[in-house]
Amino acid sequence: MSDILERLHDVLEERRHAAPEDSYVAALHHKGLNKILEKVGEEATETLLAAKDAEGGGDEQRQALVAETADLWFHSLVMLSHLDLDHRQVLDELARRFGVSGHDEKASR
């Protein structure tokens, strides 16, 4: 499944340098970090609202939460790309934290 992250990374890198009129990703990069952050914030809010609906909802609300989370992850990956970072660094950080108490990890920051 992590293969999808590699494939998405390649597509994001390719589209980052495309013409803004030809690619949504290129258009976001062209508009700059503030626009990308605006989209991340928007998708985060939509994810939170979908989670509230999913808590007492059925399959449709749960699928809506999955879709909103995908949007949030996608725009977060665009943000990382804009800052010359990628998902591997996030995965490495998660791996570093694996097996460490959340309380201990937070205290170490």
Side-chain angles (χ1 to χ4, degrees), residues 62-97:
R62 296 173 71 77
Q63 183 54 45
L65 174 58
V66 169
E68 291 299 344
T69 302
D71 290 345
L72 176 58
W73 288 10
F74 173 82
H75 287 89
S76 295
L77 291 170
V78 173
M79 174 191 65
L80 290 171
S81 172
H82 192 80
L83 297 169
D84 294 319
L85 298 166
D86 71 46
H87 69 280
R88 291 177 208 98
Q89 291 164 278
V90 176
L91 294 176
D92 289 346
E93 178 61 17
L94 289 171
R96 183 191 69 76
R97 295 179 185 186

Side-chain angles (χ1 to χ4, degrees), residues 23-36:
S23 164
Y24 174 72
V25 171
L28 284 174
H29 283 292
H30 181 75
K31 291 175 184 173
L33 182 60
N34 284 345
K35 182 60 176 179
I36 295 167

Side-chain angles (χ1 to χ4, degrees), residues 93-94 96-109:
E93 178 61 17
L94 289 171
R96 183 191 69 76
R97 295 179 185 186
F98 197 81
V100 176
S101 159
H103 293 297
D104 292 342
E105 192 284 324
K106 188 166 183 164
S108 73
R109 287 192 248 161

